Amino acid sequence: MPILNNMYKGVYAVAHALHNILGCNKTCNNKLPLDPLTILQHIKRIHFKTKEGEEVYFDENGDPAAKYEIINWQPRENGPVSFVSVGLYDASLPADEQMNVQEKSVVFAGHSKLVPVSACSETCPPGTHKVLQKGKPVCCYDCISCAEGEISNSTDSVSCIRCPLDFWSNEKRDACVQKEAEFLSHREIMGALLTAASLFGSCMTVVVALIFVKYRKTPLVRANNSELSFLLLFSLTLCFLCSLIFMGEPSDWSCMLRHTAFGITFVLCISCILGKTMVVLMAFNATRPGRNMMKWFGATQQRLGVLGFTLMQVIICIVWLTSSPPFPSKNFKEFKDKIILECSLGSAVGFWAVLGYIGLLATLCFICAFLARKLPDNFNEAKFITFSMLIFCAVWITFIPAYVSSPGKFSVAVEIFAILASTFGLLICIFIPKCYLMLIKPEKNTKKSMMGPGPSK
């Protein structure tokens, strides 16, 4: 019995203490004074084994080594509860031997061998968090999956942790992963098609330029201001190539070069077209009696006009770049699980000033070409310029709402498409009819055909 065993060890503990105090060997010194405190101090230092091999000692707090018999209350079918010993805990043994339980002998409520669960809900796995069930104990809860962008990486999490701005939660919601960076690349299908269209347009412009060089002494080329024609072809080639700058991951230099290169090349292009239109308009007005307007619009004035219009756009771009230039930025608003790498405009006023100046010149060019469209000539270039400027204005008018409403990299694709579509429109409308006459109908490429039939007698 535990009580008798403790009494037995207590008596022997006092006996060992007295033995040490009295210095007992064969005899004991009975003359030494004994008092309770002295006996207590020696009891704290005793250490002996009983006949059963059980060690008896006290720790620094005066507590004996813990030793417990593990009792399982097992109800009988017809009778009182049976107290069955199923194990032992002995603190005096090594740490890995202190607890000894015979699990097969343990019987739980309802004569079950399974360990009962202390909570009414299962453990919530990582990726979920606990939500207490209303009106039930705190051990009753539901496991709710973490929201998008949040994770929990431990079991029974009370709340979820939001991922950093550059990261997003995985499918299991138990870890944050790096967000995918998205930008228009020439390696994807849409970027490859736009790149191919840009290169095709550049090659097409070079072929047209070679045709014009070959037939540069013919009346058709000379009658339409060959110098401005070659400058226009050069600017069209730059317009096709500038669309390639919009491809790839944005950087400091590419962001600043994108819209400035586009703005300057397009102004150079439209300035050449405006110069050619003015030449046609002035040439026919100069044939009227009493007018000599061509001396005010000769080759030198045409060059200065193109240079002046282009220089104005250069100044606008310089002011834009020095005050608030475009810069690369990360857009986290369009998509939750992606980072859109794009070029911020810096100054929206600068961007719309560049586009507005192009629109102003295009409108002026269209008005002049429209006025000159019915002037007498078998090959009146103003008719083709009018049609090309209609296409140009239509493309850029539809560009504005499409650009504003397109998300992410698609806004860049819309801008590239507008550049390519308007450039193809100018190239095809202005130069393809001339190439057709030079290559397919050479008999019409004469001065007589260009001037039309003379007056009938």
Side-chain angles (χ1 to χ4, degrees):
M1 292 292 291
I3 296 177
L4 298 178
N5 186 40
N6 289 337
M7 289 174 59
Y8 169 79
K9 291 188 290 184
V11 171
Y12 267 85
V14 175
H16 278 273
L18 292 172
H19 182 82
N20 295 333
I21 293 172
L22 300 174
C24 296
N25 189 5
K26 291 182 179 181
T27 59
C28 297
N29 187 1
N30 296 326
K31 296 180 180 181
L32 289 176
L34 296 174
D35 60 89
L37 289 177
T38 303
I39 297 173
L40 179 61
Q41 293 299 322
H42 280 77
I43 288 177
K44 287 183 178 181
R45 294 194 292 268
I46 63 156
H47 195 145
F48 64 93
K49 281 187 178 182
T50 64
K51 294 179 180 180
E52 290 78 18
E54 181 181 355
E55 291 191 49
V56 180
Y57 61 91
F58 299 94
D59 59 16
E60 62 274 7
N61 297 320
D63 297 320
K67 186 174 183 180
Y68 305 103
E69 187 178 13
I70 301 173
I71 304 297
N72 183 209
W73 291 21
Q74 299 180 0
R76 298 177 181 177
E77 294 182 359
N78 298 313
V81 176
S82 177
F83 300 99
V84 180
S85 176
V86 295
L88 182 69
Y89 175 81
D90 189 353
S92 64
L93 298 175
D96 56 344
E97 299 177 5
Q98 291 178 355
M99 176 72 79
N100 182 16
V101 179
Q102 299 175 1
E103 296 180 6
K104 293 181 180 180
S105 302
V106 179
V107 177
F108 296 100
H111 299 281
S112 175
K113 294 287 186 179
L114 299 176
V115 179
V117 180
S118 60
C120 67
S121 301
E122 296 290 335
T123 300
C124 290
T128 63
H129 67 285
K130 297 192 299 184
V131 176
L132 297 179
Q133 296 178 358
K134 189 175 181 180
K136 292 187 178 182
V138 293
C139 60
C140 298
Y141 47 81
D142 295 320
C143 297
I144 306 300
S145 178
C146 292
E148 291 184 344
E150 297 181 349
I151 64 160
S152 66
N153 52 12
S154 61
T155 57
D156 287 334
S157 295
V158 179
S159 61
C160 297
I161 306 170
R162 178 163 293 277
C163 292
L165 200 58
D166 288 354
F167 290 81
W168 193 249
S169 56
N170 59 1
E171 293 183 0
K172 295 182 179 180
R173 305 286 198 273
D174 58 358
C176 291
V177 294
Q178 184 80 36
K179 286 183 180 180
E180 178 186 356
E182 186 179 75
F183 56 89
L184 186 61
S185 172
H186 62 275
R187 296 181 179 178
E188 56 184 294
I189 296 177
M190 181 170 59
L193 291 176
L194 293 174
T195 303
S198 175
L199 296 176
F200 174 75
S202 302
C203 296
M204 186 177 175
T205 309
V206 172
V207 171
V208 172
L210 293 176
I211 295 173
F212 267 64
V213 170
K214 182 178 180 180
Y215 294 94
R216 64 185 180 277
K217 295 183 179 180
T218 60
L220 182 60
V221 176
R222 298 179 65 184
N224 287 284
N225 198 328
S226 59
E227 184 176 342
L228 284 182
S229 295
F230 285 114
L231 186 58
L232 177 57
L233 287 170
F234 173 71
S235 63
L236 287 174
T237 305
L238 294 180
C239 289
F240 279 118
L241 294 178
C242 79
S243 63
L244 298 177
I245 307 174
F246 290 78
M247 299 283 184
E249 183 176 352
S251 60
D252 290 330
W253 70 268
S254 66
C255 287
M256 290 189 291
L257 192 60
R258 282 182 182 184
H259 296 102
T260 53
F262 148 72
I264 294 171
T265 53
F266 262 80
V267 165
L268 176 61
C269 175
I270 296 176
S271 299
C272 294
I273 298 174
L274 181 60
K276 292 169 73 68
T277 309
M278 295 297 293
V279 168
V280 174
L281 195 61
M282 296 301 175
F284 282 99
N285 284 325
T287 59
R288 296 179 181 179
R291 293 191 179 185
N292 189 18
M293 299 180 67
M294 283 304 295
K295 70 177 182 178
W296 301 106
F297 210 79
T300 303
Q301 287 79 7
Q302 295 170 26
R303 298 190 196 100
L304 290 175
V306 172
L307 179 62
F309 285 128
T310 308
L311 187 60
M312 181 63 68
Q313 183 73 305
V314 172
I315 293 173
I316 295 174
C317 291
I318 291 175
V319 173
W320 181 17
L321 294 180
T322 53
S323 60
S324 181
F327 59 91
S329 64
K330 295 180 179 180
N331 187 345
F332 299 98
K333 298 179 181 179
E334 295 290 344
F335 302 99
K336 295 180 180 179
D337 57 343
K338 294 180 181 179
I339 302 175
I340 305 301
L341 302 181
E342 60 185 11
C343 287
S344 293
L345 296 177
S347 171
V349 176
F351 173 72
W352 292 111
V354 170
L355 286 185
Y357 185 66
I358 295 175
L360 178 64
L361 289 183
T363 304
L364 182 61
C365 185
F366 172 74
I367 293 173
C368 292
F370 184 79
L371 294 175
R373 74 190 189 284
K374 291 185 178 180
L375 294 177
D377 190 359
N378 278 2
F379 193 83
N380 184 0
E381 194 176 22
K383 299 176 183 178
F384 301 103
I385 293 176
T386 303
F387 190 63
S388 68
M389 295 314 299
L390 275 175
I391 297 175
F392 184 90
C393 294
V395 168
W396 285 103
I397 289 174
T398 56
F399 157 78
I400 295 175
Y403 178 80
V404 173
S405 60
S406 297
K409 63 181 180 181
F410 296 101
S411 62
V412 180
V414 167
E415 190 166 2
I416 295 176
F417 179 80
I419 293 172
L420 296 178
S422 56
T423 309
F424 270 114
L426 296 175
L427 177 65
I428 293 173
C429 293
I430 297 176
F431 290 99
I432 296 303
K434 299 177 185 178
C435 293
Y436 173 78
L437 290 179
M438 286 186 283
L439 297 175
I440 308 300
K441 301 286 185 179
E443 66 276 8
K444 293 186 178 182
N445 190 6
T446 60
K447 186 175 182 180
K448 183 177 180 181
S449 298
M450 295 294 298
M451 297 302 296
S456 57
K457 295 182 180 180

